[in-house]
Structure formats: C-alpha cells, structure tokens
Amino acid sequence: MIDKLEFFIALANQKHFGRAAEECGVTQPTLSAAIRQLEDQLGVMLVSRGSRFQGLTPEGQRVLEWARRIVGDTRTMREEMRAAHKGLAGHIRIAAIPTALAMVPKITAPFQERHPDVTFSIISRNSLQVLSLLENLEIDAGITYLENEPLGRVTSVPLYAERYHLITAAGSPLSERASVTWKEVGDLRLCLLTADMQNRRIINRHLAEAGATVRPTLESNSMIVLFSHVQTGRWASIMPKNIADSFGFPSDIHKIPITEPDAEHLVGLVATHREPFTPLVSALLHEARLLAESEKGR
C-alpha cells in the first residue's frame, strides 16, 4: 500500500504517467497497474484517464491528502528507527529563495559539524515553488518569506529580516549618498529579479508606494547575474543587505540604505507541520532556532 501511495503522489506531482514512473524507478506499466490496484482497494476512481493523464478525480484529490500524510508518517517512522539504530544520518533536501541562499551555510555548516553523516541538496526556487515542493514531499524544508503570502500548514522559524540597499558602482548617480529614497531609486537604470520572485513583488510594491514606476532594463532569477551587471557600471540593483554583504563587494561597488520607508521583511525556515517530525527535520529546526538566536544578538 505504501509503495502504491508513493506512486500516486508521484503521478499527482508529475501529471504524466511516464515521468512519474521514471521518478519512482519503475516501468510505466508497473506504475499504471499499481494505481489501478489502489483504485480497486479503495473502491473509487482516483485518476481521470483518456489517452493520457487528465487530472485527479475529486476522490483522488482527497486520497492525495491522505497519501501525503501516510507516506510522510511512514518516512518519519523509518528515519526514526534508523536514527535509533545508527545515529542521525541521511539526506536533507532544502529549497531556498534566491535572496536567502547566502544564509544557508549558516545552518548547514554547523549542522554537518554536529552530524557528519548527514548530506544536503540545496536548490533555488521562488517562494511559491518552495511551498509547493514542501507540500508534495519533494523537499524536507524551505527557506522563504514568512509574510506577505499565505504559507499553509507549516512550522516556521524566523531567521532574519531583509533590509534593502541600493547596489551601484562608484561614480554612478546617487553612489556617494549616505542613504537614498525609494522614489530616487525608481529613476535609475535597474536590474532586478524576475517578476515571479516574491522579492521582486516586494520591491515593486515599495517603489509603487513611493510613486515610482518600475522599469528594469534587465531581469534575472540569479543574484550572481544581477551583481555581474552592476559591476559594469551601467546598472544599479536593489538587494537585501545580507546577500549584498555575502558577495564581499569590491570598494568600487557601494551599498546604500534605502529609506522612506526603511522596509524589512521576515525570512525563515519552514517545514511541513507534523507530529512527530522526522529526526532530520527536527534537528534542522533546532539548528535554525540556534541561528535565529545568534542573529538576534547581532
């Protein structure tokens, strides 16, 4: 039953029998047969079928909720027994918004020092993708904004508040100022994150509230791309202070606080709320709380 539920979750995520089979490491006929057996056991149709996958039935949507819960609990049980027998070991999958990537080593490095048999995968995603991956059991935890958009049923640990700076090359407009306003920043040639990023939606809102029109001449989903274009001297950007600090900017790149308002937005670690947590996620939440306490004292 557990294997069949895992196949069903994969199909719901991939929306394609072939890709779901590939993800599960089985043939497509094996996966299709398992889904039909699951339907027979439950006495309901779970999948709308034609020549290809057409979505889940209403009963399928409800079973998907149960499947995630049951599979999540099963994984927790297996991991807890493995930890009891061998100590904490395994693999943690984390998705983080681009502006939080520089913060991730502050969690993973001390965590791995305490638990050397744990490995990590870190991917960059926008805030909505982080929550979707979490819901679909494709990651163990995410790092994202805790405000502005609904998080759903998660446990969250606030880590730090983003504060925004104008990042610009020496000799460019406003580069010698001690601070600038959102209105002034809106008049510059800007390179910003793409519109699907919550950071960009936050910046758009603050610029609009200041009466500025958002007209970036370059967009990217990579902070490295934005930084490399700022270095040319032709663009300026708006970045959270923490990630600007992490780049170790040369002296010819200036970081200038943006005021009116002096905005800040909370970023934290999120994990699907369940009792008990897997040993790995429980330890990760503990590490996040330690980091949050150290950040408060800075």
Side-chain angles (χ1 to χ4, degrees):
M1 174 66 81
I2 299 300
D3 287 346
K4 292 170 188 171
L5 291 175
E6 289 188 326
F7 291 169
F8 181 59
I9 291 172
L11 179 60
N13 292 346
Q14 295 292 338
K15 299 179 174 55
H16 187 279
F17 280 94
R19 289 195 297 268
E22 184 177 353
E23 178 184 314
C24 296
V26 298
T27 65
Q28 184 171 328
T30 298
L31 184 134
S32 297
I35 298 298
R36 289 192 182 278
Q37 289 167 14
L38 184 61
E39 291 176 323
D40 290 341
Q41 287 178 277
L42 297 176
V44 295
M45 292 292 292
L46 303 177
V47 180
S48 299
R49 294 178 178 84
S51 58
R52 62 187 66 189
F53 178 83
Q54 294 180 348
L56 301 183
T57 64
E59 294 83 1
Q61 290 289 352
R62 186 71 182 115
V63 169
L64 179 61
E65 295 176 22
W66 279 103
R68 287 169 174 161
R69 191 180 311 173
I70 293 167
V71 169
D73 287 346
T74 303
R75 291 178 182 176
T76 299
M77 179 184 67
R78 288 172 178 162
E79 193 178 300
E80 192 168 307
M81 294 305 99
R82 184 172 63 243
H85 179 59
K86 298 182 178 179
L88 199 63
H91 189 74
I92 297 179
R93 303 159 300 168
I94 299 174
I97 55 175
T99 59
L101 289 172
M103 177 63 68
V104 176
K106 293 187 177 183
I107 296 177
T108 54
F111 186 103
Q112 198 165 58
E113 187 173 341
R114 274 186 266 275
H115 309 290
D117 293 327
V118 175
T119 58
F120 292 91
S121 294
I122 313 295
I123 58 174
S124 175
R125 294 291 186 270
N126 66 40
S127 58
L128 296 178
Q129 290 169 332
V130 168
L131 296 177
S132 175
L133 290 169
L134 202 59
E135 181 183 28
N136 293 333
L137 305 180
E138 295 178 78
I139 58 172
D140 302 293
I143 300 178
T144 187
Y145 294 99
L146 301 185
E147 306 164 326
N148 307 310
E149 295 178 356
L151 295 177
R153 194 167 178 267
V154 301
T155 294
S156 61
V157 179
L159 295 176
Y160 64 93
E162 274 193 352
R163 293 179 175 85
Y164 304 95
H165 281 50
L166 170 66
I167 311 301
T168 190
S172 61
L174 308 180
S175 64
E176 303 305 318
R177 295 275 295 276
S179 66
V180 294
T181 67
W182 287 93
K183 173 66 173 174
E184 291 171 321
V185 169
D187 294 330
L188 300 177
R189 178 195 293 264
L190 292 174
C191 56
L192 299 173
L193 285 173
T194 50
D196 62 316
M197 299 290 175
Q198 192 174 162
N199 170 268
R200 172 63 182 281
R201 294 194 289 274
I202 289 170
I203 288 172
N204 284 358
R205 185 170 75 248
H206 288 305
L207 288 170
E209 288 170 351
T213 302
V214 185
R215 289 191 299 264
T217 59
L218 185 144
E219 297 176 319
S220 175
N221 62 0
S222 166
M223 300 301 293
I224 296 294
V225 170
L226 300 186
F227 169 55
S228 63
H229 281 81
V230 170
Q231 281 190 306
T232 68
R234 291 185 55 80
W235 283 271
S237 189
I238 300 170
M239 295 185 185
K241 183 178 186 301
N242 66 297
I243 198 164
D245 289 343
S246 73
F247 277 128
F249 287 122
S251 58
D252 60 344
I253 301 295
H254 294 189
K255 298 177 292 184
I256 306 165
I258 306 175
T259 60
E260 298 181 28
D262 183 9
E264 60 179 50
H265 294 272
L266 199 59
V267 174
L269 184 133
V270 295
T272 301
H273 182 76
R274 70 171 64 251
E275 291 293 343
F277 289 105
T278 69
L280 286 174
V281 171
S282 181
L284 188 68
L285 289 167
H286 175 69
E287 199 65 55
R289 292 184 184 106
L290 292 178
L291 174 60
E293 286 300 314
S294 70
E295 289 293 311
K296 279 183 187 176
R298 293 182 62 182

PDB file of all heavy atoms in Angstrom, residues 259-292:
ATOM      1  N   THR A 259      15.654  54.304   2.252  1.00  0.00           N
ATOM      2  CA  THR A 259      14.760  54.735   3.327  1.00  0.00           C
ATOM      3  C   THR A 259      13.438  55.260   2.738  1.00  0.00           C
ATOM      4  O   THR A 259      13.252  55.298   1.528  1.00  0.00           O
ATOM      5  CB  THR A 259      15.427  55.833   4.170  1.00  0.00           C
ATOM      6  OG1 THR A 259      15.731  56.956   3.310  1.00  0.00           O
ATOM      7  CG2 THR A 259      16.721  55.332   4.788  1.00  0.00           C
ATOM      8  N   GLU A 260      12.596  55.673   3.656  1.00  0.00           N
ATOM      9  CA  GLU A 260      11.273  56.236   3.292  1.00  0.00           C
ATOM     10  C   GLU A 260      10.450  55.289   2.428  1.00  0.00           C
ATOM     11  O   GLU A 260      10.134  55.619   1.273  1.00  0.00           O
ATOM     12  CB  GLU A 260      11.435  57.600   2.606  1.00  0.00           C
ATOM     13  CG  GLU A 260      12.087  58.665   3.454  1.00  0.00           C
ATOM     14  CD  GLU A 260      12.192  59.998   2.729  1.00  0.00           C
ATOM     15  OE1 GLU A 260      11.341  60.272   1.842  1.00  0.00           O
ATOM     16  OE2 GLU A 260      13.110  60.761   3.035  1.00  0.00           O
ATOM     17  N   PRO A 261      10.027  54.111   2.936  1.00  0.00           N
ATOM     18  CA  PRO A 261      10.292  53.629   4.294  1.00  0.00           C
ATOM     19  C   PRO A 261      11.572  52.801   4.367  1.00  0.00           C
ATOM     20  O   PRO A 261      12.069  52.318   3.361  1.00  0.00           O
ATOM     21  CB  PRO A 261       9.079  52.735   4.562  1.00  0.00           C
ATOM     22  CG  PRO A 261       8.793  52.133   3.205  1.00  0.00           C
ATOM     23  CD  PRO A 261       9.086  53.236   2.229  1.00  0.00           C
ATOM     24  N   ASP A 262      12.058  52.631   5.613  1.00  0.00           N
ATOM     25  CA  ASP A 262      13.167  51.717   5.872  1.00  0.00           C
ATOM     26  C   ASP A 262      12.545  50.330   6.041  1.00  0.00           C
ATOM     27  O   ASP A 262      12.276  49.877   7.140  1.00  0.00           O
ATOM     28  CB  ASP A 262      13.909  52.141   7.143  1.00  0.00           C
ATOM     29  CG  ASP A 262      15.117  51.263   7.411  1.00  0.00           C
ATOM     30  OD1 ASP A 262      15.462  50.462   6.535  1.00  0.00           O
ATOM     31  OD2 ASP A 262      15.694  51.372   8.514  1.00  0.00           O
ATOM     32  N   ALA A 263      12.293  49.667   4.909  1.00  0.00           N
ATOM     33  CA  ALA A 263      11.457  48.455   4.905  1.00  0.00           C
ATOM     34  C   ALA A 263      12.241  47.225   5.343  1.00  0.00           C
ATOM     35  O   ALA A 263      13.444  47.121   5.109  1.00  0.00           O
ATOM     36  CB  ALA A 263      10.897  48.239   3.504  1.00  0.00           C
ATOM     37  N   GLU A 264      11.539  46.292   5.974  1.00  0.00           N
ATOM     38  CA  GLU A 264      12.127  44.996   6.286  1.00  0.00           C
ATOM     39  C   GLU A 264      11.062  43.919   6.185  1.00  0.00           C
ATOM     40  O   GLU A 264       9.885  44.162   6.450  1.00  0.00           O
ATOM     41  CB  GLU A 264      12.769  44.987   7.669  1.00  0.00           C
ATOM     42  CG  GLU A 264      11.835  45.274   8.819  1.00  0.00           C
ATOM     43  CD  GLU A 264      12.567  45.226  10.157  1.00  0.00           C
ATOM     44  OE1 GLU A 264      13.625  45.858  10.290  1.00  0.00           O
ATOM     45  OE2 GLU A 264      12.058  44.537  11.070  1.00  0.00           O
ATOM     46  N   HIS A 265      11.489  42.716   5.761  1.00  0.00           N
ATOM     47  CA  HIS A 265      10.566  41.602   5.572  1.00  0.00           C
ATOM     48  C   HIS A 265      11.205  40.332   6.119  1.00  0.00           C
ATOM     49  O   HIS A 265      12.363  40.030   5.840  1.00  0.00           O
ATOM     50  CB  HIS A 265      10.195  41.443   4.097  1.00  0.00           C
ATOM     51  CG  HIS A 265       9.408  42.595   3.574  1.00  0.00           C
ATOM     52  ND1 HIS A 265       8.040  42.662   3.638  1.00  0.00           N
ATOM     53  CD2 HIS A 265       9.816  43.762   2.995  1.00  0.00           C
ATOM     54  CE1 HIS A 265       7.624  43.805   3.121  1.00  0.00           C
ATOM     55  NE2 HIS A 265       8.684  44.487   2.712  1.00  0.00           N
ATOM     56  N   LEU A 266      10.424  39.572   6.877  1.00  0.00           N
ATOM     57  CA  LEU A 266      10.931  38.427   7.634  1.00  0.00           C
ATOM     58  C   LEU A 266      11.124  37.209   6.738  1.00  0.00           C
ATOM     59  O   LEU A 266      10.244  36.845   5.952  1.00  0.00           O
ATOM     60  CB  LEU A 266       9.954  38.108   8.763  1.00  0.00           C
ATOM     61  CG  LEU A 266      10.469  37.277   9.935  1.00  0.00           C
ATOM     62  CD1 LEU A 266      11.649  37.981  10.612  1.00  0.00           C
ATOM     63  CD2 LEU A 266       9.342  37.053  10.934  1.00  0.00           C
ATOM     64  N   VAL A 267      12.286  36.555   6.885  1.00  0.00           N
ATOM     65  CA  VAL A 267      12.622  35.327   6.167  1.00  0.00           C
ATOM     66  C   VAL A 267      12.885  34.238   7.196  1.00  0.00           C
ATOM     67  O   VAL A 267      13.485  34.494   8.250  1.00  0.00           O
ATOM     68  CB  VAL A 267      13.872  35.533   5.284  1.00  0.00           C
ATOM     69  CG1 VAL A 267      14.324  34.212   4.649  1.00  0.00           C
ATOM     70  CG2 VAL A 267      13.597  36.570   4.209  1.00  0.00           C
ATOM     71  N   GLY A 268      12.428  33.026   6.914  1.00  0.00           N
ATOM     72  CA  GLY A 268      12.649  31.956   7.873  1.00  0.00           C
ATOM     73  C   GLY A 268      12.645  30.587   7.235  1.00  0.00           C
ATOM     74  O   GLY A 268      12.408  30.419   6.027  1.00  0.00           O
ATOM     75  N   LEU A 269      12.913  29.582   8.056  1.00  0.00           N
ATOM     76  CA  LEU A 269      12.888  28.195   7.620  1.00  0.00           C
ATOM     77  C   LEU A 269      11.500  27.623   7.867  1.00  0.00           C
ATOM     78  O   LEU A 269      10.903  27.864   8.919  1.00  0.00           O
ATOM     79  CB  LEU A 269      13.938  27.377   8.379  1.00  0.00           C
ATOM     80  CG  LEU A 269      14.076  25.914   7.922  1.00  0.00           C
ATOM     81  CD1 LEU A 269      15.537  25.546   7.738  1.00  0.00           C
ATOM     82  CD2 LEU A 269      13.423  24.961   8.920  1.00  0.00           C
ATOM     83  N   VAL A 270      10.974  26.890   6.897  1.00  0.00           N
ATOM     84  CA  VAL A 270       9.649  26.285   7.019  1.00  0.00           C
ATOM     85  C   VAL A 270       9.739  24.786   6.759  1.00  0.00           C
ATOM     86  O   VAL A 270      10.542  24.330   5.939  1.00  0.00           O
ATOM     87  CB  VAL A 270       8.626  26.931   6.053  1.00  0.00           C
ATOM     88  CG1 VAL A 270       8.378  28.377   6.415  1.00  0.00           C
ATOM     89  CG2 VAL A 270       9.077  26.812   4.597  1.00  0.00           C
ATOM     90  N   ALA A 271       8.920  24.041   7.487  1.00  0.00           N
ATOM     91  CA  ALA A 271       8.806  22.597   7.288  1.00  0.00           C
ATOM     92  C   ALA A 271       7.347  22.225   7.455  1.00  0.00           C
ATOM     93  O   ALA A 271       6.608  22.874   8.208  1.00  0.00           O
ATOM     94  CB  ALA A 271       9.671  21.841   8.293  1.00  0.00           C
ATOM     95  N   THR A 272       6.914  21.191   6.752  1.00  0.00           N
ATOM     96  CA  THR A 272       5.533  20.731   6.877  1.00  0.00           C
ATOM     97  C   THR A 272       5.243  20.381   8.326  1.00  0.00           C
ATOM     98  O   THR A 272       6.011  19.660   8.967  1.00  0.00           O
ATOM     99  CB  THR A 272       5.291  19.504   5.987  1.00  0.00           C
ATOM    100  OG1 THR A 272       5.568  19.854   4.631  1.00  0.00           O
ATOM    101  CG2 THR A 272       3.854  19.024   6.096  1.00  0.00           C
ATOM    102  N   HIS A 273       4.141  20.907   8.849  1.00  0.00           N
ATOM    103  CA  HIS A 273       3.815  20.665  10.256  1.00  0.00           C
ATOM    104  C   HIS A 273       3.334  19.233  10.439  1.00  0.00           C
ATOM    105  O   HIS A 273       2.376  18.798   9.819  1.00  0.00           O
ATOM    106  CB  HIS A 273       2.721  21.628  10.724  1.00  0.00           C
ATOM    107  CG  HIS A 273       2.376  21.449  12.170  1.00  0.00           C
ATOM    108  ND1 HIS A 273       3.186  21.912  13.175  1.00  0.00           N
ATOM    109  CD2 HIS A 273       1.330  20.826  12.765  1.00  0.00           C
ATOM    110  CE1 HIS A 273       2.646  21.600  14.337  1.00  0.00           C
ATOM    111  NE2 HIS A 273       1.519  20.936  14.119  1.00  0.00           N
ATOM    112  N   ARG A 274       4.048  18.493  11.263  1.00  0.00           N
ATOM    113  CA  ARG A 274       3.614  17.141  11.606  1.00  0.00           C
ATOM    114  C   ARG A 274       4.194  16.775  12.973  1.00  0.00           C
ATOM    115  O   ARG A 274       5.225  17.306  13.390  1.00  0.00           O
ATOM    116  CB  ARG A 274       4.026  16.125  10.548  1.00  0.00           C
ATOM    117  CG  ARG A 274       5.520  15.843  10.465  1.00  0.00           C
ATOM    118  CD  ARG A 274       5.822  14.665   9.540  1.00  0.00           C
ATOM    119  NE  ARG A 274       5.437  14.933   8.167  1.00  0.00           N
ATOM    120  CZ  ARG A 274       4.414  14.343   7.576  1.00  0.00           C
ATOM    121  NH1 ARG A 274       3.668  13.482   8.231  1.00  0.00           N
ATOM    122  NH2 ARG A 274       4.122  14.626   6.321  1.00  0.00           N
ATOM    123  N   GLU A 275       3.506  15.896  13.673  1.00  0.00           N
ATOM    124  CA  GLU A 275       3.984  15.391  14.949  1.00  0.00           C
ATOM    125  C   GLU A 275       4.019  13.868  14.899  1.00  0.00           C
ATOM    126  O   GLU A 275       2.979  13.241  14.665  1.00  0.00           O
ATOM    127  CB  GLU A 275       3.058  15.868  16.088  1.00  0.00           C
ATOM    128  CG  GLU A 275       3.119  17.356  16.367  1.00  0.00           C
ATOM    129  CD  GLU A 275       4.449  17.821  16.943  1.00  0.00           C
ATOM    130  OE1 GLU A 275       5.221  16.945  17.427  1.00  0.00           O
ATOM    131  OE2 GLU A 275       4.729  19.024  16.904  1.00  0.00           O
ATOM    132  N   PRO A 276       5.190  13.253  15.103  1.00  0.00           N
ATOM    133  CA  PRO A 276       6.464  13.934  15.310  1.00  0.00           C
ATOM    134  C   PRO A 276       7.121  14.297  13.973  1.00  0.00           C
ATOM    135  O   PRO A 276       6.757  13.743  12.935  1.00  0.00           O
ATOM    136  CB  PRO A 276       7.292  12.873  16.034  1.00  0.00           C
ATOM    137  CG  PRO A 276       6.783  11.581  15.461  1.00  0.00           C
ATOM    138  CD  PRO A 276       5.305  11.784  15.221  1.00  0.00           C
ATOM    139  N   PHE A 277       8.086  15.208  14.041  1.00  0.00           N
ATOM    140  CA  PHE A 277       8.911  15.479  12.877  1.00  0.00           C
ATOM    141  C   PHE A 277       9.882  14.320  12.684  1.00  0.00           C
ATOM    142  O   PHE A 277      10.202  13.584  13.627  1.00  0.00           O
ATOM    143  CB  PHE A 277       9.710  16.768  13.065  1.00  0.00           C
ATOM    144  CG  PHE A 277       8.890  18.024  13.010  1.00  0.00           C
ATOM    145  CD1 PHE A 277       8.595  18.726  14.166  1.00  0.00           C
ATOM    146  CD2 PHE A 277       8.411  18.501  11.810  1.00  0.00           C
ATOM    147  CE1 PHE A 277       7.832  19.880  14.115  1.00  0.00           C
ATOM    148  CE2 PHE A 277       7.650  19.657  11.745  1.00  0.00           C
ATOM    149  CZ  PHE A 277       7.355  20.347  12.902  1.00  0.00           C
ATOM    150  N   THR A 278      10.378  14.177  11.448  1.00  0.00           N
ATOM    151  CA  THR A 278      11.463  13.217  11.258  1.00  0.00           C
ATOM    152  C   THR A 278      12.659  13.690  12.086  1.00  0.00           C
ATOM    153  O   THR A 278      12.815  14.894  12.349  1.00  0.00           O
ATOM    154  CB  THR A 278      11.892  13.122   9.788  1.00  0.00           C
ATOM    155  OG1 THR A 278      12.535  14.338   9.404  1.00  0.00           O
ATOM    156  CG2 THR A 278      10.706  12.850   8.872  1.00  0.00           C
ATOM    157  N   PRO A 279      13.528  12.773  12.527  1.00  0.00           N
ATOM    158  CA  PRO A 279      14.711  13.197  13.285  1.00  0.00           C
ATOM    159  C   PRO A 279      15.559  14.232  12.547  1.00  0.00           C
ATOM    160  O   PRO A 279      16.080  15.158  13.156  1.00  0.00           O
ATOM    161  CB  PRO A 279      15.480  11.883  13.492  1.00  0.00           C
ATOM    162  CG  PRO A 279      14.421  10.836  13.481  1.00  0.00           C
ATOM    163  CD  PRO A 279      13.412  11.299  12.465  1.00  0.00           C
ATOM    164  N   LEU A 280      15.684  14.077  11.217  1.00  0.00           N
ATOM    165  CA  LEU A 280      16.479  15.035  10.451  1.00  0.00           C
ATOM    166  C   LEU A 280      15.849  16.422  10.460  1.00  0.00           C
ATOM    167  O   LEU A 280      16.534  17.428  10.688  1.00  0.00           O
ATOM    168  CB  LEU A 280      16.647  14.550   9.006  1.00  0.00           C
ATOM    169  CG  LEU A 280      17.616  13.393   8.769  1.00  0.00           C
ATOM    170  CD1 LEU A 280      17.559  12.946   7.315  1.00  0.00           C
ATOM    171  CD2 LEU A 280      19.035  13.790   9.151  1.00  0.00           C
ATOM    172  N   VAL A 281      14.543  16.499  10.220  1.00  0.00           N
ATOM    173  CA  VAL A 281      13.872  17.799  10.209  1.00  0.00           C
ATOM    174  C   VAL A 281      13.855  18.403  11.605  1.00  0.00           C
ATOM    175  O   VAL A 281      14.043  19.612  11.780  1.00  0.00           O
ATOM    176  CB  VAL A 281      12.445  17.665   9.642  1.00  0.00           C
ATOM    177  CG1 VAL A 281      11.653  18.959   9.836  1.00  0.00           C
ATOM    178  CG2 VAL A 281      12.505  17.308   8.160  1.00  0.00           C
ATOM    179  N   SER A 282      13.652  17.583  12.612  1.00  0.00           N
ATOM    180  CA  SER A 282      13.672  18.081  13.988  1.00  0.00           C
ATOM    181  C   SER A 282      15.025  18.708  14.309  1.00  0.00           C
ATOM    182  O   SER A 282      15.102  19.795  14.907  1.00  0.00           O
ATOM    183  CB  SER A 282      13.371  16.934  14.957  1.00  0.00           C
ATOM    184  OG  SER A 282      13.362  17.392  16.294  1.00  0.00           O
ATOM    185  N   ALA A 283      16.102  18.032  13.905  1.00  0.00           N
ATOM    186  CA  ALA A 283      17.445  18.571  14.143  1.00  0.00           C
ATOM    187  C   ALA A 283      17.687  19.839  13.336  1.00  0.00           C
ATOM    188  O   ALA A 283      18.354  20.778  13.798  1.00  0.00           O
ATOM    189  CB  ALA A 283      18.496  17.520  13.798  1.00  0.00           C
ATOM    190  N   LEU A 284      17.137  19.882  12.117  1.00  0.00           N
ATOM    191  CA  LEU A 284      17.289  21.073  11.277  1.00  0.00           C
ATOM    192  C   LEU A 284      16.550  22.267  11.887  1.00  0.00           C
ATOM    193  O   LEU A 284      17.076  23.388  11.896  1.00  0.00           O
ATOM    194  CB  LEU A 284      16.763  20.787   9.879  1.00  0.00           C
ATOM    195  CG  LEU A 284      17.020  21.861   8.816  1.00  0.00           C
ATOM    196  CD1 LEU A 284      18.507  21.947   8.491  1.00  0.00           C
ATOM    197  CD2 LEU A 284      16.224  21.574   7.546  1.00  0.00           C
ATOM    198  N   LEU A 285      15.357  22.050  12.397  1.00  0.00           N
ATOM    199  CA  LEU A 285      14.612  23.126  13.062  1.00  0.00           C
ATOM    200  C   LEU A 285      15.374  23.629  14.283  1.00  0.00           C
ATOM    201  O   LEU A 285      15.416  24.840  14.550  1.00  0.00           O
ATOM    202  CB  LEU A 285      13.223  22.630  13.470  1.00  0.00           C
ATOM    203  CG  LEU A 285      12.232  22.380  12.324  1.00  0.00           C
ATOM    204  CD1 LEU A 285      11.018  21.605  12.823  1.00  0.00           C
ATOM    205  CD2 LEU A 285      11.785  23.705  11.700  1.00  0.00           C
ATOM    206  N   HIS A 286      15.979  22.709  15.015  1.00  0.00           N
ATOM    207  CA  HIS A 286      16.786  23.104  16.180  1.00  0.00           C
ATOM    208  C   HIS A 286      17.954  23.983  15.748  1.00  0.00           C
ATOM    209  O   HIS A 286      18.237  25.014  16.373  1.00  0.00           O
ATOM    210  CB  HIS A 286      17.293  21.857  16.902  1.00  0.00           C
ATOM    211  CG  HIS A 286      18.217  22.150  18.044  1.00  0.00           C
ATOM    212  ND1 HIS A 286      17.801  22.757  19.222  1.00  0.00           N
ATOM    213  CD2 HIS A 286      19.562  21.954  18.184  1.00  0.00           C
ATOM    214  CE1 HIS A 286      18.832  22.895  20.035  1.00  0.00           C
ATOM    215  NE2 HIS A 286      19.909  22.424  19.431  1.00  0.00           N
ATOM    216  N   GLU A 287      18.613  23.595  14.665  1.00  0.00           N
ATOM    217  CA  GLU A 287      19.749  24.384  14.163  1.00  0.00           C
ATOM    218  C   GLU A 287      19.284  25.767  13.726  1.00  0.00           C
ATOM    219  O   GLU A 287      19.973  26.776  13.945  1.00  0.00           O
ATOM    220  CB  GLU A 287      20.409  23.653  13.002  1.00  0.00           C
ATOM    221  CG  GLU A 287      21.820  24.098  12.695  1.00  0.00           C
ATOM    222  CD  GLU A 287      22.790  23.778  13.822  1.00  0.00           C
ATOM    223  OE1 GLU A 287      22.879  22.623  14.225  1.00  0.00           O
ATOM    224  OE2 GLU A 287      23.441  24.736  14.298  1.00  0.00           O
ATOM    225  N   ALA A 288      18.105  25.825  13.091  1.00  0.00           N
ATOM    226  CA  ALA A 288      17.563  27.115  12.655  1.00  0.00           C
ATOM    227  C   ALA A 288      17.272  28.018  13.857  1.00  0.00           C
ATOM    228  O   ALA A 288      17.506  29.225  13.806  1.00  0.00           O
ATOM    229  CB  ALA A 288      16.295  26.897  11.836  1.00  0.00           C
ATOM    230  N   ARG A 289      16.760  27.435  14.935  1.00  0.00           N
ATOM    231  CA  ARG A 289      16.469  28.240  16.131  1.00  0.00           C
ATOM    232  C   ARG A 289      17.757  28.776  16.760  1.00  0.00           C
ATOM    233  O   ARG A 289      17.789  29.904  17.247  1.00  0.00           O
ATOM    234  CB  ARG A 289      15.672  27.403  17.138  1.00  0.00           C
ATOM    235  CG  ARG A 289      14.253  27.075  16.652  1.00  0.00           C
ATOM    236  CD  ARG A 289      13.436  26.326  17.686  1.00  0.00           C
ATOM    237  NE  ARG A 289      12.135  25.965  17.137  1.00  0.00           N
ATOM    238  CZ  ARG A 289      11.788  24.743  16.765  1.00  0.00           C
ATOM    239  NH1 ARG A 289      12.655  23.729  16.899  1.00  0.00           N
ATOM    240  NH2 ARG A 289      10.587  24.514  16.264  1.00  0.00           N
ATOM    241  N   LEU A 290      18.826  27.966  16.733  1.00  0.00           N
ATOM    242  CA  LEU A 290      20.111  28.443  17.239  1.00  0.00           C
ATOM    243  C   LEU A 290      20.615  29.622  16.401  1.00  0.00           C
ATOM    244  O   LEU A 290      21.118  30.618  16.940  1.00  0.00           O
ATOM    245  CB  LEU A 290      21.145  27.311  17.210  1.00  0.00           C
ATOM    246  CG  LEU A 290      20.916  26.139  18.170  1.00  0.00           C
ATOM    247  CD1 LEU A 290      22.010  25.078  17.977  1.00  0.00           C
ATOM    248  CD2 LEU A 290      20.906  26.618  19.622  1.00  0.00           C
ATOM    249  N   LEU A 291      20.465  29.507  15.076  1.00  0.00           N
ATOM    250  CA  LEU A 291      20.884  30.595  14.190  1.00  0.00           C
ATOM    251  C   LEU A 291      20.052  31.848  14.453  1.00  0.00           C
ATOM    252  O   LEU A 291      20.587  32.964  14.505  1.00  0.00           O
ATOM    253  CB  LEU A 291      20.749  30.169  12.731  1.00  0.00           C
ATOM    254  CG  LEU A 291      21.008  31.256  11.683  1.00  0.00           C
ATOM    255  CD1 LEU A 291      22.420  31.818  11.808  1.00  0.00           C
ATOM    256  CD2 LEU A 291      20.759  30.724  10.271  1.00  0.00           C
ATOM    257  N   ALA A 292      18.753  31.669  14.639  1.00  0.00           N
ATOM    258  CA  ALA A 292      17.872  32.813  14.881  1.00  0.00           C
ATOM    259  C   ALA A 292      18.287  33.551  16.142  1.00  0.00           C
ATOM    260  O   ALA A 292      18.299  34.789  16.186  1.00  0.00           O
ATOM    261  CB  ALA A 292      16.426  32.346  14.995  1.00  0.00           C
TER     262      ALA A 292
END
